[in-house]
Amino acid sequence: MDFSSKLLENAVNEVSRLPGIGKRTALRLVLHLLKQPKENTKYLADAILQLRNDVKSCKKCHNISDTILCDICSNPNRKEELVCVVEDIRDVMAIENTGQFRGLYHVLGGKISPIEGVGPQNLNIESLVDKVKSGEIKELIFALSSTMEGDTTNFYIYKQIEKYNITTSTIARGISVGDELEYADEVTLGRSIINRIPFENSLRQ
Amino acid sequence: MDFSSKLLENAVNEVSRLPGIGKRTALRLVLHLLKQPKENTKYLADAILQLRNDVKSCKKCHNISDTILCDICSNPNRKEELVCVVEDIRDVMAIENTGQFRGLYHVLGGKISPIEGVGPQNLNIESLVDKVKSGEIKELIFALSSTMEGDTTNFYIYKQIEKYNITTSTIARGISVGDELEYADEVTLGRSIINRIPFENSLRQ
């Protein structure tokens, strides 16, 4: 692309560094900003700068927070001994939306992925193992993506903590609520049969 | 969406104001920035702020430019008397990429669209009429989108300038190069038959 202005070229290049945004989309976004009042661009720039510079992660669960302890970790009504291990804060938001979980979280910040150069040392695994060691956790729920990287990460953590006396569980994999059996993949359907639950339990959900 | 941090919520809200970007995409983009070095966010914010504050539009053609006259208008090798009327600077870039046009442009900044509240007074039409009046233009090429708004805008401008002695033309509508006839819409195919060109001409292109 040939730009008529260096400023425009620079802005388009910076915006197109964002994931999933190509040069054409970046140009569209930047031209949109030019049609809006100047303040809007300032608000946008300020918001991302302030977030990047002032954001904290919760000392306990590594969730993004404005305070040292996040709202979940500092809530006395949540069960401290039940910890759900998730990849990133989007998973925390997704699980919180269900309203079904009253324990705490531990945000790893990613999955072990040799291809992307992410090893166990790049994730918040050590602090999780320390928490288990200290005896404050009774049950650990693994809620990572059901991919090779997710399974690898689960297994790595499991190996580090199996010598301590805690319960470990993983979220149920099965047919989505509302899905038709004929369209389900065979691995999921197979697992949902192996891990079947008493019918009476399903009546109560 | 419930956010664990006000800063995060604010950043997501600002980013999701951009066209075509919802809350989920905004969250993904913002979390991406958090994983990158702080400088990257600064470069992004600086680039859009600088563009918004310092951008100029060419005095002559209203194209985005870093100087008073843009590179195209100040190029002595371009034909000043041939002017192509376009909606916005993306169209200038698209036509420049073809390498087929050696005249100047006139960027309207949009189309007449009563639904979106855009009237002739919101577009750079007056300065175009002034240019025509002054006698510096011999031919005007309309290269707006082939939509109702584009046609309305063409016609409005045409009515303003028809009393002056200049040639007006519009870019050819027809079957795209490489397209199969059977998939073409009937209006385009009909126009391509009415506006057929001598076969010898097509050999030279």
Side-chain angles (χ1 to χ4, degrees):
Chain A
M1 272 194 199
D2 280 343
F3 293 94
S4 56
S5 150
K6 277 275 162 218
L7 291 173
L8 180 66
E9 184 170 3
N10 191 23
V12 168
N13 284 342
E14 286 298 331
V15 173
S16 66
R17 272 185 228 282
L18 293 170
I21 296 195
K23 292 256 164 147
R24 269 167 192 269
T25 308
L27 179 60
R28 192 165 54 83
L29 297 179
V30 164
L31 290 179
H32 170 84
L33 287 178
L34 284 180
K35 285 188 182 174
Q36 302 288 312
K38 278 190 185 181
E39 303 86 72
N40 291 17
T41 307
K42 195 174 173 325
Y43 294 148
L44 172 63
D46 284 352
I48 57 173
L49 276 176
Q50 229 183 353
L51 173 71
R52 190 64 191 90
N53 291 328
D54 299 344
V55 80
K56 292 181 194 68
S57 73
C58 169
K59 208 179 63 176
K60 193 161 179 177
C61 73
H62 307 286
N63 192 1
I64 289 177
S65 169
D66 296 336
T67 44
I68 297 173
L69 273 188
C70 74
D71 289 351
I72 298 173
C73 286
S74 56
N75 183 343
N77 294 325
R78 311 216 33 151
K79 293 181 192 154
E80 255 193 291
E81 67 278 6
L82 180 63
V83 170
C84 184
V85 181
V86 293
E87 260 171 68
D88 76 10
I89 79 138
R90 276 177 290 182
D91 303 322
V92 173
M93 289 165 73
I95 297 175
E96 281 298 287
N97 272 342
T98 69
Q100 295 293 330
F101 183 66
R102 300 300 302 161
L104 304 184
Y105 295 92
H106 186 92
V107 181
L108 293 177
K111 292 167 290 194
I112 296 175
S113 169
I115 295 171
E116 292 174 29
V118 182
Q121 72 284 357
N122 305 118
L123 304 174
N124 301 317
I125 292 181
E126 212 183 308
S127 57
L128 176 63
V129 176
D130 286 346
K131 268 194 255 180
V132 172
K133 252 189 223 171
S134 74
E136 59 186 276
I137 302 180
K138 282 193 188 143
E139 183 178 348
L140 213 58
I141 306 174
F142 290 111
L144 273 65
S145 324
S146 185
T147 58
M148 207 174 66
E149 286 92 355
D151 291 345
T152 307
T153 313
N154 283 343
F155 191 70
Y156 179 88
I157 298 174
Y158 178 74
K159 278 283 152 198
Q160 304 267 312
I161 58 163
E162 63 176 338
K163 55 180 176 261
Y164 305 105
N165 182 28
I166 64 163
T167 310
T168 48
S169 58
T170 174
I171 54 170
R173 311 288 178 187
I175 308 298
S176 292
V177 177
D179 259 15
E180 314 236 9
L181 284 205
E182 58 177 321
Y183 301 121
D185 69 288
E186 55 206 43
V187 179
T188 305
L189 189 54
R191 285 207 198 176
S192 77
I193 291 172
I194 296 169
N195 301 315
R196 61 194 177 278
I197 56 165
F199 184 68
E200 296 80 23
N201 291 6
S202 72
L203 294 176
R204 273 180 256 131
Q205 285 168 353
Chain B
M1 271 194 201
D2 281 342
F3 293 94
S4 56
S5 149
K6 277 275 163 218
L7 292 172
L8 180 66
E9 184 170 3
N10 191 22
V12 169
N13 283 342
E14 286 298 331
V15 174
S16 66
R17 271 186 228 280
L18 293 169
I21 296 195
K23 292 258 163 144
R24 269 167 191 270
T25 309
L27 179 60
R28 191 165 54 84
L29 297 180
V30 165
L31 290 179
H32 170 84
L33 286 178
L34 284 180
K35 285 189 183 173
Q36 302 288 313
K38 279 190 185 182
E39 301 86 71
N40 291 18
T41 306
K42 196 174 172 328
Y43 294 148
L44 171 63
D46 285 353
I48 58 175
L49 276 176
Q50 230 184 354
L51 173 71
R52 190 66 193 86
N53 292 327
D54 300 344
V55 79
K56 292 180 195 67
S57 72
C58 170
K59 209 179 61 175
K60 193 162 180 178
C61 73
H62 308 286
N63 192 1
I64 289 177
S65 169
D66 295 336
T67 44
I68 298 174
L69 274 187
C70 73
D71 289 350
I72 298 173
C73 286
S74 56
N75 182 342
N77 294 324
R78 313 223 21 159
K79 292 181 192 156
E80 256 193 290
E81 67 279 5
L82 180 64
V83 169
C84 183
V85 181
V86 292
E87 262 171 67
D88 76 10
I89 79 139
R90 277 177 289 183
D91 304 320
V92 173
M93 289 165 71
I95 297 176
E96 280 298 285
N97 271 341
T98 69
Q100 296 292 328
F101 182 66
R102 301 300 302 160
L104 304 185
Y105 295 92
H106 186 91
V107 181
L108 294 177
K111 292 169 290 196
I112 296 174
S113 169
I115 297 173
E116 292 174 28
V118 182
Q121 70 285 356
N122 304 117
L123 304 174
N124 302 317
I125 291 182
E126 211 184 308
S127 57
L128 176 63
V129 176
D130 286 346
K131 268 195 255 180
V132 172
K133 252 188 222 172
S134 74
E136 61 187 275
I137 302 179
K138 283 191 187 144
E139 183 178 348
L140 213 57
I141 306 174
F142 291 112
L144 273 65
S145 324
S146 185
T147 58
M148 208 174 64
E149 286 91 356
D151 290 345
T152 307
T153 313
N154 284 343
F155 192 70
Y156 180 89
I157 298 174
Y158 178 75
K159 278 283 153 197
Q160 304 267 311
I161 57 164
E162 64 175 340
K163 55 179 176 262
Y164 306 105
N165 182 29
I166 64 162
T167 310
T168 49
S169 59
T170 174
I171 53 169
R173 310 289 178 186
I175 308 298
S176 293
V177 178
D179 259 15
E180 313 235 11
L181 284 205
E182 57 177 322
Y183 300 121
D185 70 289
E186 54 207 42
V187 178
T188 305
L189 188 54
R191 284 207 198 178
S192 77
I193 291 173
I194 295 169
N195 301 315
R196 61 195 177 278
I197 55 165
F199 184 68
E200 295 81 23
N201 291 8
S202 73
L203 293 178
R204 272 181 256 132
Q205 286 167 354

